[in-house]
Amino acid sequence: MGKLIDLATDPEQYSSGRAVTWVNDDVRQKKQQENFWNAISPYIKAACQSALDIGCGSGWSAEKFSKLGSKWEGLEPSSSHFEIAHKVHPKFNILNITFEEYNTYSHFDCVIALMVFSHIKDVRKSFEKIFSLLNKGGTFIIICSTYHDEANRVERNGRKYEVEVIDDNQYVDKAIVGAYGIADINRKSEYYINEAVSSGYSLVKHLKVEDIGYSPKDLFIFSKS
């Protein structure tokens, strides 16, 4: 493993430069949040009484779930983003820890992880842990960065990227110019599906979600039967 994967899995990369404030103040982020919510909300069951948001950022999904009558809990490992989330949503339970550090006796009807697995190294271990936290019939929703072929990895959408290949299924990239400079792990959609099925989930839906100014993202809806 190289330096980029270490950076991609370090939540404090979000605590420097423009990334400190983009989670709450950036206009594009607010539009992205609405896009993401519009994409995932049809798959959140009306009977959802409890929800966990892994990597909740500013905590923007808290109010969304609250309006559905769901008890919401958020995890945000970045110290700067946690401060923003705690300030903006003081009445909600938000923990400043990674998912790997999270321990609870609670179970949830819905778990979401939006643009989070770009920063988690062990997908199978995390999928299995989430499976153990879901109630029977629960829903697990993830949105992930797009896996690009070699021809489109180093330059796309007017931005240049530094790239570090992990294996045939995944690589890490980091924008050099024209973006926030956040390192992300990008994986094939088939990789996520195979890991999920091997962890006990059923695939409900896989589709693309538009992301303003960037490549479309992969949306996966999994269920625990």
Side-chain angles (χ1 to χ4, degrees), residues 37 40 44 51-56 60-62 65 72-73 110-117 130 134 139-143:
W37 182 255
I40 72 173
I44 298 171
L52 175 67
D53 186 343
I54 302 171
C56 67
W60 64 271
S61 75
F65 275 100
W72 180 94
E73 184 171 319
C110 183
V111 175
I112 66 172
L114 311 183
M115 301 304 295
V116 169
F117 275 88
I130 292 167
L134 277 174
T139 304
F140 173 36
I141 301 173
I142 63 174
I143 292 180

Side-chain angles (χ1 to χ4, degrees), residues 57-182:
S58 67
W60 64 271
S61 75
E63 298 289 351
K64 301 286 191 183
F65 275 100
S66 183
K67 289 179 180 178
L68 298 178
S70 305
K71 182 179 179 181
W72 180 94
E73 184 171 319
L75 311 179
E76 179 46 56
S78 163
S79 58
S80 61
H81 287 186
F82 168 75
E83 290 177 8
I84 293 171
H86 187 65
K87 181 179 179 180
V88 176
H89 304 287
K91 68 178 182 179
F92 292 97
N93 186 30
I94 304 172
L95 304 177
N96 183 206
I97 58 174
T98 66
F99 180 62
E100 291 85 349
E101 297 168 328
Y102 181 60
N103 291 297
T104 183
Y105 291 106
S106 299
H107 288 81
F108 303 90
D109 293 324
C110 183
V111 175
I112 66 172
L114 311 183
M115 301 304 295
V116 169
F117 275 88
S118 296
H119 309 297
I120 290 180
K121 189 177 294 184
D122 193 330
V123 173
R124 174 70 68 84
K125 186 175 181 180
S126 295
F127 276 14
E128 290 175 346
K129 184 174 180 179
I130 292 167
F131 190 86
S132 72
L133 297 178
L134 277 174
N135 290 320
K136 186 176 181 180
T139 304
F140 173 36
I141 301 173
I142 63 174
I143 292 180
C144 303
S145 55
T146 304
Y147 182 94
H148 295 276
D149 58 31
E150 291 185 31
N152 294 300
R153 287 180 190 173
V154 296
E155 188 170 358
R156 61 185 182 274
N157 301 320
R159 303 176 184 90
K160 294 183 179 180
Y161 293 82
E162 182 180 359
V163 176
E164 183 178 282
V165 176
I166 301 173
D167 56 37
D168 291 341
N169 293 306
Q170 49 191 343
Y171 66 91
V172 189
D173 65 10
K174 178 181 180 294
I176 300 171
V177 295
Y180 297 101
I182 298 297

